[in-house]
Amino acid sequence: MADSLVAGVQVRRIDDFKVLLEQCWSLFSEESQRSDDYELAQRQRDAAVAAQAEQEQTIRILSRDLHVWKESHENKCTTIEMLEAEVGRLKERVGDTQSNSLLAVCLIDGDGTIFAPEYLVEGQQGGRRAAKELNERLINHLGVSSRAAFRILVNVYCNKIGLRTTLAYAKFCTFTQFDAFWDGFQATGLFSVIDVGQGKEAADAKIRDALDLYARMPQVMRVYMGGAHDGGYQSPLSALQLSGFGDKVVLLRGYDNIIAKDLRKLGLPEARFEGLFLSKPIDTSGGWRAARSSSSDQGSPRQTDAASSSSLPSTGRACFSFHLQGSCPYGSTCAFDHNKEFTVKELDQLRQAAKTQPCMYINGNKPCSFGDTCVMSHKCRNGPSCSDRTNGTCKWKGRAMHDPRTAAPKSESSHTSNSSASVTSESDRQLILCLVDGNSVNFTQDRMNEARKGGLHCAKMLEAGLRGANPNSGAQIQIIAPYIGDVSNMRVMFPRLGTCSTTQFEGFIAGYAEHDETFTVVNIPGGAPAGQDMLISQSDVASSFVSLR
C-alpha cells in the first residue's frame, strides 16, 4: 500500500516535471522568437536610419541644386528681358530703315569708267546732268515703279590729279571744266567723288572695301560695280558669291564690249548705260610721256622712240616723268611702265629720248613748273625754219617753241647711229659731288621698307635729280654721291624708332651702293659731329670714296 502510494507520487512528480519542462521549453522558444524579432527590428531600425540619412543628404544636394537653378533661372529671365528690349529697339530701327526706303549703291572706278566729254565740257551743269542721267538709268535698270521707295548712292573713286591731266591732254576738257564738273556732280543727292590720290591701285583698294561693306548690308538691294574693265576685282566678287551676296552685284560696263576676262567668268549680270561714259579707253600713246619711232629721218625729233630706238635697248614703254623726275601725274592710271629698273647708261639714253618729245605744258601755251629741269623739250630744234611747222605736222605747237629769240639748240635730241660713240676728252668731263649727310637727312620710310629695291630707287632718283638740275649739252657728267653717317648707330636706331627693320636697312644701303660704284656708303662712327667733320672736308670724302672703291 505504501509502495503503491510512493509510486503514484513519483509518477505524478514525473508528470509535473514533464509539464514544467514543456512550459520551460515553451518559454525558451518564445524568448528566442522574441530575441530574433528584436534583432530583426534592430536591423530594420538601422536600415531605416541609414535610409533617412541618405534621404537627408539627397535633400541637401537637391536644395543646393534648386538654389543654383533658381539663380540660373533668374539670370535667364533677366537676359530674356534684355534681349526682348533689344529686339524691340532693333524692330524700331528696322522700321525706320524700311520707312527710309531700300538702297541701291553704285561704286565707280573713275580712272577707268570715265564720263563722256559732252558732260565734262559743261562744267557744273554737265556734272548735274550726268548725275541726273545716271540716277535715271539706275532706277530704270532696277525696274522700280515707286521712286519714293528707293534711294540711290553713288561713289566715284579716282586719282583726280592724274585723271584731270589725262583728260586735259586728250583735249576732252580743261582743268577748270574738270573741277567744275565734279562740283556739280556732288551737288546731287547721295552722289560723291572720292580722291584716292596717286597711290598704285588706291582706287581698287577702296572699291574692294566698299563693295564688301555695301553688299552685306541688308537694306542694300543692288550694288553696281563700275569697274568691269579691271580683272583685279575678281577676288572680292568671288568672295561675295561664296558668301551668298553675289546676287546683289551688277557689273557696270563703261567701255563698249570691254569686260575683264576674269570678271566675265563669274557670270554676273551686266549693265551698259549708252552715251553716259566713254565708249573706249583714252589713247595716251604719242603723248608727252611716250615717243613714237620710225626707222627713217632720224634727224626729225618726231621720229625717235623710247620704246624701240637702238639707243634704248629693252627699255620698253617707259614713263619719262616717273623715271626721270621721280613722279608721274597719272599715277596708277599711267599707260607706261613705272617698274623697270634702269642702269645709269640706260637712264642717260632715256633722258636723251625724252628730249625728243614736246613738253605738254609749253605745247599748250602754259607755264611749265619744272622750268629748265623739265625732262621734255621746250623748243623745236629746227627753230623758226622748221618745215614741219609750215605744213602743220610739227609736234612742237606752242607759240614760244619756234621763237627765234630763244631757239632751242639742235643737240637736244640724241643723234645716235650704229657706229661707235665718240670718245669724250678729259677736258669735257664734269664732276658733280653730292655729299649726303645720313645723320640728318633720311630717305623716306616707304623706300627704306623696300630694302634693296628702295635703295636702288633712291639712288636712281638722286642721280636723275642731280643731272636734271645741272643740264649739260656736251660734257660727260660723272656723279659722286657718298652716303655719309654713323651707319652702325642707324642700324640699331631705325628698328627702335619703327622706321624699318635691321634687315631692311642693310638691304637699303646695299641697294644704294649697288646702283653705281660712285654711290657709296661711308660709315663714320661717333654720331652727327663726326659726320659733319667729315662733310666739311671734301678732300677727305673724296679720298674715303677712292679707298672704298
PDB file of all heavy atoms in Angstrom, residues 367-399:
ATOM      1  N   PRO A 367      52.608 127.729-118.633  1.00  0.00           N
ATOM      2  CA  PRO A 367      53.937 127.681-117.996  1.00  0.00           C
ATOM      3  C   PRO A 367      54.244 126.290-117.458  1.00  0.00           C
ATOM      4  O   PRO A 367      53.350 125.579-116.976  1.00  0.00           O
ATOM      5  CB  PRO A 367      53.825 128.708-116.865  1.00  0.00           C
ATOM      6  CG  PRO A 367      52.360 128.779-116.557  1.00  0.00           C
ATOM      7  CD  PRO A 367      51.652 128.586-117.876  1.00  0.00           C
ATOM      8  N   CYS A 368      55.501 125.901-117.551  1.00  0.00           N
ATOM      9  CA  CYS A 368      55.945 124.598-117.029  1.00  0.00           C
ATOM     10  C   CYS A 368      56.626 124.841-115.687  1.00  0.00           C
ATOM     11  O   CYS A 368      57.600 125.596-115.595  1.00  0.00           O
ATOM     12  CB  CYS A 368      56.910 123.930-118.000  1.00  0.00           C
ATOM     13  SG  CYS A 368      57.631 122.399-117.357  1.00  0.00           S
ATOM     14  N   SER A 369      56.120 124.193-114.636  1.00  0.00           N
ATOM     15  CA  SER A 369      56.659 124.397-113.291  1.00  0.00           C
ATOM     16  C   SER A 369      58.075 123.840-113.148  1.00  0.00           C
ATOM     17  O   SER A 369      58.795 124.221-112.228  1.00  0.00           O
ATOM     18  CB  SER A 369      55.738 123.743-112.261  1.00  0.00           C
ATOM     19  OG  SER A 369      55.627 122.352-112.510  1.00  0.00           O
ATOM     20  N   PHE A 370      58.466 122.942-114.057  1.00  0.00           N
ATOM     21  CA  PHE A 370      59.810 122.352-113.955  1.00  0.00           C
ATOM     22  C   PHE A 370      60.881 123.268-114.546  1.00  0.00           C
ATOM     23  O   PHE A 370      62.065 123.089-114.271  1.00  0.00           O
ATOM     24  CB  PHE A 370      59.845 120.998-114.658  1.00  0.00           C
ATOM     25  CG  PHE A 370      58.994 119.955-113.992  1.00  0.00           C
ATOM     26  CD1 PHE A 370      57.761 119.618-114.504  1.00  0.00           C
ATOM     27  CD2 PHE A 370      59.417 119.324-112.834  1.00  0.00           C
ATOM     28  CE1 PHE A 370      56.970 118.654-113.891  1.00  0.00           C
ATOM     29  CE2 PHE A 370      58.646 118.369-112.212  1.00  0.00           C
ATOM     30  CZ  PHE A 370      57.407 118.037-112.741  1.00  0.00           C
ATOM     31  N   GLY A 371      60.473 124.204-115.387  1.00  0.00           N
ATOM     32  CA  GLY A 371      61.436 125.130-115.970  1.00  0.00           C
ATOM     33  C   GLY A 371      62.519 124.426-116.763  1.00  0.00           C
ATOM     34  O   GLY A 371      62.244 123.513-117.557  1.00  0.00           O
ATOM     35  N   ASP A 372      63.770 124.837-116.524  1.00  0.00           N
ATOM     36  CA  ASP A 372      64.890 124.263-117.271  1.00  0.00           C
ATOM     37  C   ASP A 372      65.168 122.814-116.884  1.00  0.00           C
ATOM     38  O   ASP A 372      65.914 122.122-117.590  1.00  0.00           O
ATOM     39  CB  ASP A 372      66.159 125.097-117.044  1.00  0.00           C
ATOM     40  CG  ASP A 372      66.046 126.489-117.651  1.00  0.00           C
ATOM     41  OD1 ASP A 372      65.234 126.658-118.580  1.00  0.00           O
ATOM     42  OD2 ASP A 372      66.767 127.398-117.177  1.00  0.00           O
ATOM     43  N   THR A 373      64.626 122.364-115.746  1.00  0.00           N
ATOM     44  CA  THR A 373      64.868 120.978-115.323  1.00  0.00           C
ATOM     45  C   THR A 373      63.871 120.008-115.931  1.00  0.00           C
ATOM     46  O   THR A 373      63.943 118.812-115.661  1.00  0.00           O
ATOM     47  CB  THR A 373      64.795 120.868-113.790  1.00  0.00           C
ATOM     48  OG1 THR A 373      63.465 121.177-113.355  1.00  0.00           O
ATOM     49  CG2 THR A 373      65.780 121.807-113.130  1.00  0.00           C
ATOM     50  N   CYS A 374      62.923 120.485-116.728  1.00  0.00           N
ATOM     51  CA  CYS A 374      61.927 119.608-117.349  1.00  0.00           C
ATOM     52  C   CYS A 374      62.622 118.590-118.240  1.00  0.00           C
ATOM     53  O   CYS A 374      63.558 118.929-118.990  1.00  0.00           O
ATOM     54  CB  CYS A 374      60.933 120.435-118.162  1.00  0.00           C
ATOM     55  SG  CYS A 374      59.651 119.438-118.975  1.00  0.00           S
ATOM     56  N   VAL A 375      62.194 117.346-118.174  1.00  0.00           N
ATOM     57  CA  VAL A 375      62.836 116.289-118.955  1.00  0.00           C
ATOM     58  C   VAL A 375      62.401 116.328-120.414  1.00  0.00           C
ATOM     59  O   VAL A 375      63.023 115.695-121.263  1.00  0.00           O
ATOM     60  CB  VAL A 375      62.533 114.900-118.357  1.00  0.00           C
ATOM     61  CG1 VAL A 375      63.068 114.792-116.951  1.00  0.00           C
ATOM     62  CG2 VAL A 375      61.037 114.593-118.396  1.00  0.00           C
ATOM     63  N   MET A 376      61.317 117.048-120.710  1.00  0.00           N
ATOM     64  CA  MET A 376      60.824 117.127-122.074  1.00  0.00           C
ATOM     65  C   MET A 376      61.397 118.373-122.763  1.00  0.00           C
ATOM     66  O   MET A 376      62.033 119.228-122.133  1.00  0.00           O
ATOM     67  CB  MET A 376      59.291 117.173-122.083  1.00  0.00           C
ATOM     68  CG  MET A 376      58.641 116.109-121.211  1.00  0.00           C
ATOM     69  SD  MET A 376      59.057 114.427-121.682  1.00  0.00           S
ATOM     70  CE  MET A 376      58.064 114.264-123.157  1.00  0.00           C
ATOM     71  N   SER A 377      61.124 118.485-124.053  1.00  0.00           N
ATOM     72  CA  SER A 377      61.689 119.577-124.837  1.00  0.00           C
ATOM     73  C   SER A 377      60.757 120.784-124.833  1.00  0.00           C
ATOM     74  O   SER A 377      59.539 120.646-125.002  1.00  0.00           O
ATOM     75  CB  SER A 377      61.914 119.104-126.281  1.00  0.00           C
ATOM     76  OG  SER A 377      62.303 120.181-127.091  1.00  0.00           O
ATOM     77  N   HIS A 378      61.352 121.972-124.661  1.00  0.00           N
ATOM     78  CA  HIS A 378      60.590 123.226-124.696  1.00  0.00           C
ATOM     79  C   HIS A 378      60.748 123.954-126.023  1.00  0.00           C
ATOM     80  O   HIS A 378      60.072 124.957-126.260  1.00  0.00           O
ATOM     81  CB  HIS A 378      61.034 124.150-123.565  1.00  0.00           C
ATOM     82  CG  HIS A 378      60.544 123.715-122.218  1.00  0.00           C
ATOM     83  ND1 HIS A 378      60.693 124.492-121.076  1.00  0.00           N
ATOM     84  CD2 HIS A 378      59.898 122.580-121.820  1.00  0.00           C
ATOM     85  CE1 HIS A 378      60.161 123.853-120.040  1.00  0.00           C
ATOM     86  NE2 HIS A 378      59.693 122.695-120.461  1.00  0.00           N
ATOM     87  N   LYS A 379      61.638 123.487-126.873  1.00  0.00           N
ATOM     88  CA  LYS A 379      61.893 124.145-128.152  1.00  0.00           C
ATOM     89  C   LYS A 379      62.013 123.119-129.271  1.00  0.00           C
ATOM     90  O   LYS A 379      62.559 122.034-129.080  1.00  0.00           O
ATOM     91  CB  LYS A 379      63.197 124.972-128.097  1.00  0.00           C
ATOM     92  CG  LYS A 379      63.210 126.083-127.051  1.00  0.00           C
ATOM     93  CD  LYS A 379      62.263 127.211-127.453  1.00  0.00           C
ATOM     94  CE  LYS A 379      62.301 128.324-126.407  1.00  0.00           C
ATOM     95  NZ  LYS A 379      61.350 129.415-126.761  1.00  0.00           N
ATOM     96  N   CYS A 380      61.512 123.512-130.424  1.00  0.00           N
ATOM     97  CA  CYS A 380      61.761 122.691-131.608  1.00  0.00           C
ATOM     98  C   CYS A 380      63.201 122.922-132.034  1.00  0.00           C
ATOM     99  O   CYS A 380      63.648 124.068-132.179  1.00  0.00           O
ATOM    100  CB  CYS A 380      60.791 123.083-132.727  1.00  0.00           C
ATOM    101  SG  CYS A 380      61.153 122.270-134.309  1.00  0.00           S
ATOM    102  N   ARG A 381      63.933 121.858-132.224  1.00  0.00           N
ATOM    103  CA  ARG A 381      65.359 122.014-132.530  1.00  0.00           C
ATOM    104  C   ARG A 381      65.590 122.644-133.897  1.00  0.00           C
ATOM    105  O   ARG A 381      66.682 123.124-134.191  1.00  0.00           O
ATOM    106  CB  ARG A 381      66.064 120.661-132.453  1.00  0.00           C
ATOM    107  CG  ARG A 381      65.733 119.718-133.589  1.00  0.00           C
ATOM    108  CD  ARG A 381      66.452 118.390-133.423  1.00  0.00           C
ATOM    109  NE  ARG A 381      66.265 117.529-134.569  1.00  0.00           N
ATOM    110  CZ  ARG A 381      67.039 117.548-135.643  1.00  0.00           C
ATOM    111  NH1 ARG A 381      68.040 118.409-135.717  1.00  0.00           N
ATOM    112  NH2 ARG A 381      66.821 116.732-136.664  1.00  0.00           N
ATOM    113  N   ASN A 382      64.555 122.632-134.746  1.00  0.00           N
ATOM    114  CA  ASN A 382      64.701 123.221-136.076  1.00  0.00           C
ATOM    115  C   ASN A 382      64.427 124.721-136.082  1.00  0.00           C
ATOM    116  O   ASN A 382      64.612 125.387-137.093  1.00  0.00           O
ATOM    117  CB  ASN A 382      63.753 122.527-137.059  1.00  0.00           C
ATOM    118  CG  ASN A 382      64.147 121.084-137.290  1.00  0.00           C
ATOM    119  OD1 ASN A 382      65.330 120.761-137.349  1.00  0.00           O
ATOM    120  ND2 ASN A 382      63.167 120.208-137.392  1.00  0.00           N
ATOM    121  N   GLY A 383      63.945 125.249-134.919  1.00  0.00           N
ATOM    122  CA  GLY A 383      63.746 126.684-134.794  1.00  0.00           C
ATOM    123  C   GLY A 383      62.720 127.238-135.768  1.00  0.00           C
ATOM    124  O   GLY A 383      61.822 126.525-136.239  1.00  0.00           O
ATOM    125  N   PRO A 384      62.851 128.523-136.113  1.00  0.00           N
ATOM    126  CA  PRO A 384      61.846 129.159-136.982  1.00  0.00           C
ATOM    127  C   PRO A 384      61.845 128.633-138.407  1.00  0.00           C
ATOM    128  O   PRO A 384      60.889 128.843-139.154  1.00  0.00           O
ATOM    129  CB  PRO A 384      62.242 130.640-136.947  1.00  0.00           C
ATOM    130  CG  PRO A 384      63.703 130.635-136.617  1.00  0.00           C
ATOM    131  CD  PRO A 384      63.892 129.465-135.688  1.00  0.00           C
ATOM    132  N   SER A 385      62.909 127.910-138.793  1.00  0.00           N
ATOM    133  CA  SER A 385      62.980 127.385-140.156  1.00  0.00           C
ATOM    134  C   SER A 385      62.362 125.998-140.270  1.00  0.00           C
ATOM    135  O   SER A 385      62.542 125.326-141.283  1.00  0.00           O
ATOM    136  CB  SER A 385      64.442 127.351-140.610  1.00  0.00           C
ATOM    137  OG  SER A 385      65.205 126.494-139.761  1.00  0.00           O
ATOM    138  N   CYS A 386      61.638 125.549-139.243  1.00  0.00           N
ATOM    139  CA  CYS A 386      61.066 124.195-139.242  1.00  0.00           C
ATOM    140  C   CYS A 386      60.058 124.052-140.382  1.00  0.00           C
ATOM    141  O   CYS A 386      59.044 124.777-140.433  1.00  0.00           O
ATOM    142  CB  CYS A 386      60.398 123.930-137.904  1.00  0.00           C
ATOM    143  SG  CYS A 386      59.581 122.324-137.810  1.00  0.00           S
ATOM    144  N   SER A 387      60.333 123.133-141.296  1.00  0.00           N
ATOM    145  CA  SER A 387      59.426 122.915-142.430  1.00  0.00           C
ATOM    146  C   SER A 387      58.144 122.223-141.986  1.00  0.00           C
ATOM    147  O   SER A 387      57.079 122.438-142.578  1.00  0.00           O
ATOM    148  CB  SER A 387      60.136 122.077-143.501  1.00  0.00           C
ATOM    149  OG  SER A 387      60.535 120.812-142.955  1.00  0.00           O
ATOM    150  N   ASP A 388      58.234 121.411-140.940  1.00  0.00           N
ATOM    151  CA  ASP A 388      57.034 120.719-140.461  1.00  0.00           C
ATOM    152  C   ASP A 388      56.037 121.708-139.872  1.00  0.00           C
ATOM    153  O   ASP A 388      54.816 121.490-139.917  1.00  0.00           O
ATOM    154  CB  ASP A 388      57.404 119.677-139.409  1.00  0.00           C
ATOM    155  CG  ASP A 388      58.140 118.494-140.014  1.00  0.00           C
ATOM    156  OD1 ASP A 388      57.967 118.254-141.221  1.00  0.00           O
ATOM    157  OD2 ASP A 388      58.878 117.814-139.271  1.00  0.00           O
ATOM    158  N   ARG A 389      56.540 122.802-139.314  1.00  0.00           N
ATOM    159  CA  ARG A 389      55.634 123.815-138.768  1.00  0.00           C
ATOM    160  C   ARG A 389      54.824 124.454-139.886  1.00  0.00           C
ATOM    161  O   ARG A 389      53.639 124.763-139.716  1.00  0.00           O
ATOM    162  CB  ARG A 389      56.454 124.862-138.016  1.00  0.00           C
ATOM    163  CG  ARG A 389      55.597 125.962-137.379  1.00  0.00           C
ATOM    164  CD  ARG A 389      56.447 127.116-136.936  1.00  0.00           C
ATOM    165  NE  ARG A 389      55.667 128.123-136.246  1.00  0.00           N
ATOM    166  CZ  ARG A 389      56.094 129.338-135.943  1.00  0.00           C
ATOM    167  NH1 ARG A 389      57.342 129.689-136.298  1.00  0.00           N
ATOM    168  NH2 ARG A 389      55.322 130.199-135.312  1.00  0.00           N
ATOM    169  N   THR A 390      55.468 124.639-141.036  1.00  0.00           N
ATOM    170  CA  THR A 390      54.793 125.274-142.157  1.00  0.00           C
ATOM    171  C   THR A 390      53.618 124.446-142.649  1.00  0.00           C
ATOM    172  O   THR A 390      52.536 124.978-142.930  1.00  0.00           O
ATOM    173  CB  THR A 390      55.785 125.501-143.311  1.00  0.00           C
ATOM    174  OG1 THR A 390      56.903 126.276-142.823  1.00  0.00           O
ATOM    175  CG2 THR A 390      55.121 126.229-144.472  1.00  0.00           C
ATOM    176  N   ASN A 391      53.840 123.118-142.741  1.00  0.00           N
ATOM    177  CA  ASN A 391      52.743 122.268-143.232  1.00  0.00           C
ATOM    178  C   ASN A 391      51.854 121.723-142.110  1.00  0.00           C
ATOM    179  O   ASN A 391      50.965 120.912-142.358  1.00  0.00           O
ATOM    180  CB  ASN A 391      53.299 121.098-144.065  1.00  0.00           C
ATOM    181  CG  ASN A 391      54.304 120.268-143.280  1.00  0.00           C
ATOM    182  OD1 ASN A 391      54.160 120.066-142.079  1.00  0.00           O
ATOM    183  ND2 ASN A 391      55.346 119.773-143.974  1.00  0.00           N
ATOM    184  N   GLY A 392      52.116 122.173-140.858  1.00  0.00           N
ATOM    185  CA  GLY A 392      51.230 121.825-139.741  1.00  0.00           C
ATOM    186  C   GLY A 392      51.452 120.459-139.136  1.00  0.00           C
ATOM    187  O   GLY A 392      50.599 119.967-138.399  1.00  0.00           O
ATOM    188  N   THR A 393      52.590 119.810-139.409  1.00  0.00           N
ATOM    189  CA  THR A 393      52.827 118.464-138.880  1.00  0.00           C
ATOM    190  C   THR A 393      53.840 118.444-137.732  1.00  0.00           C
ATOM    191  O   THR A 393      54.119 117.384-137.182  1.00  0.00           O
ATOM    192  CB  THR A 393      53.338 117.535-140.002  1.00  0.00           C
ATOM    193  OG1 THR A 393      54.548 118.073-140.537  1.00  0.00           O
ATOM    194  CG2 THR A 393      52.288 117.399-141.092  1.00  0.00           C
ATOM    195  N   CYS A 394      54.408 119.586-137.364  1.00  0.00           N
ATOM    196  CA  CYS A 394      55.389 119.612-136.279  1.00  0.00           C
ATOM    197  C   CYS A 394      54.690 119.404-134.935  1.00  0.00           C
ATOM    198  O   CYS A 394      53.640 120.006-134.662  1.00  0.00           O
ATOM    199  CB  CYS A 394      56.140 120.950-136.270  1.00  0.00           C
ATOM    200  SG  CYS A 394      57.415 121.041-134.970  1.00  0.00           S
ATOM    201  N   LYS A 395      55.262 118.560-134.086  1.00  0.00           N
ATOM    202  CA  LYS A 395      54.667 118.291-132.778  1.00  0.00           C
ATOM    203  C   LYS A 395      54.874 119.439-131.806  1.00  0.00           C
ATOM    204  O   LYS A 395      54.177 119.527-130.794  1.00  0.00           O
ATOM    205  CB  LYS A 395      55.259 117.007-132.177  1.00  0.00           C
ATOM    206  CG  LYS A 395      54.879 115.750-132.928  1.00  0.00           C
ATOM    207  CD  LYS A 395      55.269 114.505-132.166  1.00  0.00           C
ATOM    208  CE  LYS A 395      56.748 114.381-131.994  1.00  0.00           C
ATOM    209  NZ  LYS A 395      57.146 113.127-131.307  1.00  0.00           N
ATOM    210  N   TRP A 396      55.833 120.325-132.077  1.00  0.00           N
ATOM    211  CA  TRP A 396      56.079 121.478-131.220  1.00  0.00           C
ATOM    212  C   TRP A 396      55.120 122.603-131.639  1.00  0.00           C
ATOM    213  O   TRP A 396      55.416 123.406-132.516  1.00  0.00           O
ATOM    214  CB  TRP A 396      57.533 121.932-131.333  1.00  0.00           C
ATOM    215  CG  TRP A 396      58.484 121.067-130.577  1.00  0.00           C
ATOM    216  CD1 TRP A 396      59.046 121.336-129.369  1.00  0.00           C
ATOM    217  CD2 TRP A 396      58.994 119.787-130.957  1.00  0.00           C
ATOM    218  NE1 TRP A 396      59.855 120.306-128.966  1.00  0.00           N
ATOM    219  CE2 TRP A 396      59.851 119.331-129.916  1.00  0.00           C
ATOM    220  CE3 TRP A 396      58.815 118.961-132.065  1.00  0.00           C
ATOM    221  CZ2 TRP A 396      60.507 118.117-129.970  1.00  0.00           C
ATOM    222  CZ3 TRP A 396      59.461 117.744-132.121  1.00  0.00           C
ATOM    223  CH2 TRP A 396      60.297 117.332-131.076  1.00  0.00           C
ATOM    224  N   LYS A 397      53.957 122.647-131.036  1.00  0.00           N
ATOM    225  CA  LYS A 397      52.889 123.544-131.473  1.00  0.00           C
ATOM    226  C   LYS A 397      52.769 124.806-130.624  1.00  0.00           C
ATOM    227  O   LYS A 397      52.009 125.713-130.947  1.00  0.00           O
ATOM    228  CB  LYS A 397      51.551 122.795-131.466  1.00  0.00           C
ATOM    229  CG  LYS A 397      51.536 121.582-132.381  1.00  0.00           C
ATOM    230  CD  LYS A 397      50.176 120.909-132.369  1.00  0.00           C
ATOM    231  CE  LYS A 397      50.185 119.639-133.232  1.00  0.00           C
ATOM    232  NZ  LYS A 397      50.498 119.940-134.641  1.00  0.00           N
ATOM    233  N   GLY A 398      53.436 124.866-129.479  1.00  0.00           N
ATOM    234  CA  GLY A 398      53.361 126.033-128.606  1.00  0.00           C
ATOM    235  C   GLY A 398      53.881 127.281-129.282  1.00  0.00           C
ATOM    236  O   GLY A 398      54.788 127.230-130.129  1.00  0.00           O
ATOM    237  N   ARG A 399      53.339 128.430-128.896  1.00  0.00           N
ATOM    238  CA  ARG A 399      53.714 129.689-129.558  1.00  0.00           C
ATOM    239  C   ARG A 399      55.201 130.001-129.397  1.00  0.00           C
ATOM    240  O   ARG A 399      55.817 130.558-130.304  1.00  0.00           O
ATOM    241  CB  ARG A 399      52.878 130.832-128.966  1.00  0.00           C
ATOM    242  CG  ARG A 399      51.408 130.809-129.380  1.00  0.00           C
ATOM    243  CD  ARG A 399      50.712 132.097-128.959  1.00  0.00           C
ATOM    244  NE  ARG A 399      50.689 132.242-127.508  1.00  0.00           N
ATOM    245  CZ  ARG A 399      49.701 131.823-126.730  1.00  0.00           C
ATOM    246  NH1 ARG A 399      48.658 131.218-127.283  1.00  0.00           N
ATOM    247  NH2 ARG A 399      49.737 132.010-125.425  1.00  0.00           N
TER     248      ARG A 399
END
